Amino acid sequence: MLMMLPGQAMARMAFEKLTDYDFAGTTYYSVKNLSLYECQGWCREEADCQAAAFSFVVNPLSPSQETHCQLQNDSSAANPSAAPQRSANMYYMVKLQLRSENVCHRPWSFERVPNKIIRGLDNALIYTSTKEACLSACLNEKRFICRSVEYDYNNMKCVLSDSDRRSSGQFVQLVDAQGTDYFENLCLKPTQACKNTRSFANARMGVSEEKVAQYVGLHYYTDKELQVTSESACRLACEIESEFLCRSFLYLGQPQGAQYNCRLYHLDHKTLPDGPSTYLNHERPLIDHGEPIGQYFENQCEKSAAAAGTNNSPPGTLDKIDTLPVSLDTIEDPNLTNMTRNDVNCDKTGTCYDVSVHCKDTRIAVQVRTNKPFNGRIYALGRSETCNIDVINSDAFRLDLTMIGQDCNTQSVTGVYSNTVVLQHHSVVMTKADKIYKVKCTYDMSSKNITFGMMPIRDPDMIHINSSPEAPPPRIRILDTRQREVETVRIGDRLNFRIEIPEDTPYGIFARSCVAMAKDARTSFKIIDDDGCPTDPTIFPGFTADGNALQSTYEAFRFTESYGVIFQCNVKYCLGPCEPAVCEWNMESFESLGRRRRRSIESNNTKSEDHMNISQEILVLDFGDEKREFFKADPSTDFAKDKTVTIIEPCPTKTSVLALAVTCALMILLYISTLFCYYMKKWMQPHKIVA
């Protein structure tokens, strides 16, 4: 049974934040005295903004914070090799695009610490080609609460963990790791911040509580202020805060008038790069206004009873100890034979894989058959989130690798499309029992045959499979200015002439030797010559590219003796975009997509070239003709083929009716005049008297 992957989530905007770090970048807008959330909100709304640097420097004469917001349209933060600079009282926020439905509506989704990792405490290891994919995997994780992430840019390794710098009962220490960044998930709910119970207490870090509280009041940027009646109310406000993950608060004592006495922060001493030593290296303000210093409290993750070695639980009960949710079946099949063990396509569980590759016009289909039901997943290496199939108890399944776009990251070099496919038993972890195959699809220019190469990475021998996929047939469409396909137009109408093939194909097309012919085929006019250049651009301009299609905008024309105009073009294929022809008209040079690349599909064995002729007919009326009354066509006919158009007697126009009316009036007047003359002549004659 083949299990299809559900639709991928759309990419959503999010931010990562670095505390007391700054990256080099190009600032295109700078403003002072904005709030943090106004600065970040501007960057969110600005399409050009890639990062925002927000500093809140303390003026020792006030003492108060003076803010400075810088929006950057180019930032080195996206470059893994770029080294950040230390910058006190600075938040550096980088815009991200994460494919997850769980991106939170908070100022930032992750806290980033460059070139650091937590040793051990890993729950899952996956391979992703981008940092964003790794962070998305953390937000999408359902088997355990992902509290932190480590991403190795060089090896594309993504490590997910249910621990962070505040986890208790374990030795947690950030260590240097060049090329790997540490991230903490800030989209957690307040109840998910700790594995066990979360509490707030005075920060005990070898520094006096008064000194810490004074530093916090001056140098922490306040995320939210409110007025409360007691310290417990301020604590509760931090515990239930949902707009950001509140990790600490400062209580300034009983309220005085309308002043706020409770400040909430997303920071704690573990967020600061220098840790507790930060509080020792600051200077007191030059002016003391006598305001209360207050009491500073930080969240702490309590140890479980089992981890602490205590026995606080009632008799007969045992607290659940968090365990790693990953289990691997590494039991070797006892029925393995020496032949099976030595086969590179078999693993130690006795599962053998028959992998075949089929090259299509728009995708590479990797078909897998096994000798026993397989459970796991198959995916493109580095694209485990966007290009994968989950397999449940099936001995036949298939993965389609797209040939364009970034979903599967298929590589293309001079007509050779390649990718790496992983057959993995576990949904997250890769083991030695898994298989990795390098798949390749090569387009042979000489004979239009397509050859495939497929081999496991661990196997030096190549297995070749031959096939011959057909190129997609092109078609002609003629559209009006509203992009509607038309069959009957009038002279001078502005039309869009298009030659199209499917968008999701590796082929490109070029057109030449295009001819416009009268319906009776007695008269023709070459609009595109054999080199792909227009013969008269004022009548029919050259082709331009629109995706995989060719198009030319022209004004409708027809031949003197025929209303039907038939267009016929010779269309050839390229692998990838075709090169345009360089044309000249009235001493000016321009490009037209009519010349093929040297790697277009030819036959070197014969003198004749592979090509395809396509045609389309359109009816062109004169200026005064009424389309519906003048022409009557058989609705069963197809304008892409030859058909007969019958011209019926035209209805009288306004001019002819007016002329007829005038003629009739004159004839009536003549008739009346004749009668009048006749009777007048008769009346004028003398009457004879009879004796």
Side-chain angles (χ1 to χ4, degrees):
M1 180 176 63
L2 181 64
M3 299 297 293
M4 299 302 294
L5 182 69
Q8 295 291 333
M10 295 292 293
R12 297 190 176 188
M13 184 185 300
F15 282 84
E16 66 179 16
K17 179 184 74 75
L18 295 92
T19 301
D20 290 352
Y21 282 102
D22 189 15
F23 279 95
T26 303
T27 300
Y28 71 94
Y29 188 78
S30 177
V31 62
K32 293 184 177 181
N33 298 324
L34 281 184
S35 70
L36 169 64
Y37 301 100
E38 287 174 331
C39 179
Q40 192 262 356
W42 277 24
C43 187
R44 182 183 293 272
E45 297 298 328
E46 290 277 345
D48 294 335
C49 182
Q50 298 300 316
F54 182 81
S55 62
F56 42 99
V57 180
V58 176
N59 184 348
L61 297 177
S62 302
S64 61
Q65 294 178 347
E66 296 179 353
T67 64
H68 187 199
C69 173
Q70 294 176 298
L71 304 185
Q72 298 179 351
N73 54 14
D74 181 48
S75 172
S76 61
N79 183 4
S81 60
Q85 302 296 321
R86 288 294 302 275
S87 179
N89 295 57
M90 166 72 75
Y91 292 161
Y92 193 85
M93 299 164 285
V94 184
K95 187 181 290 186
L96 305 173
Q97 295 292 332
L98 303 182
R99 289 182 175 271
S100 175
E101 298 289 343
N102 300 321
V103 174
C104 54
H105 299 286
R106 292 179 178 176
W108 39 77
S109 298
F110 287 91
E111 177 87 25
R112 173 182 171 186
V113 184
N115 300 317
K116 296 288 185 179
I117 63 171
I118 291 180
R119 197 180 301 278
L121 307 180
D122 303 340
N123 286 67
L125 168 65
I126 60 178
Y127 289 84
T128 62
S129 60
T130 63
K131 171 188 69 179
E132 287 78 6
C134 181
L135 299 180
S136 300
C138 179
L139 295 178
N140 294 330
E141 183 57 55
K142 297 180 180 179
R143 295 163 295 114
F144 59 91
I145 298 175
C146 179
R147 294 184 173 87
S148 67
V149 180
E150 297 166 5
Y151 187 70
D152 184 345
Y153 296 93
N154 297 323
N155 299 313
M156 296 187 295
K157 292 172 58 176
C158 174
V159 176
L160 310 182
S161 175
D162 64 351
S163 301
D164 60 13
R165 291 175 287 184
R166 298 159 191 83
S167 297
S168 60
Q170 298 162 312
F171 180 71
V172 179
Q173 182 182 12
L174 279 178
V175 296
D176 293 334
Q178 195 66 32
T180 302
D181 287 350
Y182 171 81
F183 301 84
E184 284 186 345
N185 184 2
L186 298 182
C187 284
L188 297 174
K189 298 177 182 178
T191 56
Q192 297 174 330
C194 294
K195 290 184 179 181
N196 301 301
T197 305
R198 181 186 185 213
S199 63
F200 287 85
N202 295 111
R204 292 180 174 85
M205 56 192 80
V207 184
S208 67
E209 295 179 5
E210 181 182 354
K211 195 175 186 66
V212 173
Q214 186 180 54
Y215 180 92
V216 170
L218 287 174
H219 296 277
Y220 275 25
Y221 186 86
T222 303
D223 294 298
K224 180 178 283 190
E225 282 185 302
L226 60 158
Q227 189 180 71
V228 295
T229 57
S230 63
E231 177 264 321
S232 60
C234 189
R235 182 193 308 268
L236 178 61
C238 187
E239 289 176 347
I240 64 175
E241 179 57 50
S242 60
E243 295 181 4
F244 59 92
L245 185 58
C246 182
R247 296 196 185 276
S248 63
F249 66 90
L250 181 67
Y251 177 64
L252 299 175
Q254 292 296 320
Q256 302 292 330
Q259 292 182 351
Y260 296 119
N261 62 336
C262 177
R263 300 177 184 177
L264 308 183
Y265 309 99
H266 72 277
L267 294 178
D268 59 6
H269 78 277
K270 293 184 179 294
T271 310
L272 304 175
D274 293 332
S277 61
T278 304
Y279 308 107
L280 298 174
N281 300 325
H282 84 286
E283 297 180 357
R284 289 180 175 271
L286 299 180
I287 299 178
D288 189 356
H289 290 283
E291 295 180 354
I293 296 176
Q295 290 180 291
Y296 175 66
F297 298 87
E298 284 188 350
N299 67 172
Q300 296 180 353
C301 296
E302 300 291 342
K303 298 180 181 179
S304 64
T310 60
N311 190 17
N312 297 328
S313 301
T317 64
L318 179 64
D319 286 352
K320 180 181 178 181
I321 303 175
D322 289 336
T323 59
L324 297 181
V326 178
S327 61
L328 299 176
D329 182 12
T330 57
I331 302 176
E332 185 170 320
D333 190 342
N335 297 322
L336 282 177
T337 63
N338 290 332
M339 182 176 296
T340 304
R341 263 193 202 93
N342 297 329
D343 191 343
V344 71
N345 289 311
C346 299
D347 58 31
K348 63 181 181 179
T349 65
T351 304
C352 295
Y353 308 91
D354 178 15
V355 183
S356 59
V357 179
H358 305 278
C359 190
K360 307 293 184 181
D361 294 336
T362 60
R363 67 188 188 280
I364 300 175
V366 181
Q367 183 72 41
V368 182
R369 297 184 181 276
T370 60
N371 62 336
K372 59 171 64 176
F374 177 80
N375 287 280
R377 63 202 302 245
I378 176 174
Y379 61 90
L381 185 64
R383 289 293 187 271
S384 59
E385 297 86 11
T386 60
C387 189
N388 71 82
I389 293 293
D390 292 327
V391 184
I392 300 178
N393 201 33
S394 176
D395 59 2
F397 45 93
R398 187 186 74 193
L399 175 65
D400 288 336
L401 304 172
T402 56
M403 301 180 71
I404 57 177
Q406 296 298 317
D407 287 346
C408 292
N409 198 32
T410 301
Q411 303 297 314
S412 172
V413 180
T414 63
V416 179
Y417 291 81
S418 61
N419 209 323
T420 303
V421 175
V422 180
L423 283 166
Q424 185 172 297
H425 289 79
H426 194 267
S427 60
V428 173
V429 179
M430 184 183 296
T431 68
K432 291 182 179 180
D434 300 329
K435 295 294 181 182
I436 304 177
Y437 290 89
K438 183 77 172 181
V439 299
K440 183 174 63 175
C441 176
T442 305
Y443 287 78
D444 190 345
M445 302 303 128
S446 60
S447 61
K448 292 186 65 175
N449 291 329
I450 296 179
T451 62
F452 310 93
M454 180 277 300
M455 69 170 184
I457 284 181
R458 306 180 183 93
D459 189 355
D461 297 328
M462 179 73 73
I463 304 173
H464 296 277
I465 306 172
N466 298 325
S467 180
S468 300
E470 294 183 358
R475 64 168 179 165
I476 293 178
R477 297 177 65 215
I478 300 178
L479 310 177
D480 61 10
T481 54
R482 297 183 180 179
Q483 300 301 308
R484 299 176 302 183
E485 194 164 0
V486 294
E487 296 176 343
T488 305
V489 297
R490 292 180 178 80
I491 290 178
D493 284 356
R494 193 168 182 83
L495 303 175
N496 189 7
F497 185 98
R498 293 177 59 86
I499 302 177
E500 300 178 342
I501 59 174
E503 283 290 336
D504 52 350
T505 175
Y507 294 100
I509 57 174
F510 60 93
R512 61 183 182 182
S513 303
C514 295
V515 179
M517 298 180 293
K519 176 68 177 179
D520 55 11
R522 289 184 297 180
T523 308
S524 65
F525 169 59
K526 179 171 283 190
I527 54 178
I528 301 293
D529 63 19
D530 295 339
D531 294 326
C533 293
T535 58
D536 189 346
T538 61
I539 298 177
F540 195 95
F543 286 111
T544 58
D546 182 23
N548 282 13
L550 305 180
Q551 66 177 4
S552 175
T553 302
Y554 76 104
E555 293 183 354
F557 60 86
R558 76 171 182 86
F559 295 92
T560 306
E561 70 280 5
S562 175
Y563 288 95
V565 179
I566 299 175
F567 293 94
Q568 186 177 65
C569 282
N570 182 277
V571 179
K572 292 181 177 290
Y573 290 90
C574 305
L575 189 57
C578 296
E579 293 180 356
V582 179
C583 309
E584 292 186 359
W585 176 260
N586 289 340
M587 306 299 293
E588 294 183 358
S589 297
F590 60 93
E591 292 185 346
S592 175
L593 276 167
R595 186 181 67 186
R596 59 202 172 102
R597 286 186 177 179
R598 298 176 64 183
R599 60 176 181 149
S600 61
I601 303 175
E602 296 178 346
S603 175
N604 294 333
N605 299 327
T606 62
K607 294 182 180 180
S608 63
E609 297 179 337
D610 296 330
H611 63 274
M612 181 175 294
N613 291 324
I614 57 176
S615 62
Q616 177 76 7
E617 181 181 346
I618 189 170
L619 302 179
V620 183
L621 308 184
D622 291 332
F623 288 109
D625 296 334
E626 294 292 336
K627 178 177 66 174
R628 295 185 179 179
E629 298 176 357
F630 193 80
F631 285 93
K632 185 176 182 180
D634 184 359
S636 64
T637 58
D638 182 2
F639 277 87
K641 303 177 182 179
D642 292 339
K643 53 181 164 294
T644 302
V645 179
T646 303
I647 302 178
I648 64 175
E649 292 296 331
C651 295
T653 62
K654 293 181 179 179
T655 304
S656 61
V657 171
L658 182 60
L660 181 61
V662 172
T663 303
C664 291
L666 291 175
M667 291 180 66
I668 293 173
L669 182 60
L670 180 61
Y671 176 72
I672 295 173
S673 300
T674 302
L675 291 177
F676 178 76
C677 291
Y678 172 76
Y679 283 107
M680 285 297 295
K681 184 178 180 180
K682 187 175 181 180
W683 181 75
M684 292 294 293
Q685 289 180 355
H687 298 280
K688 295 180 180 181
I689 301 174
V690 182

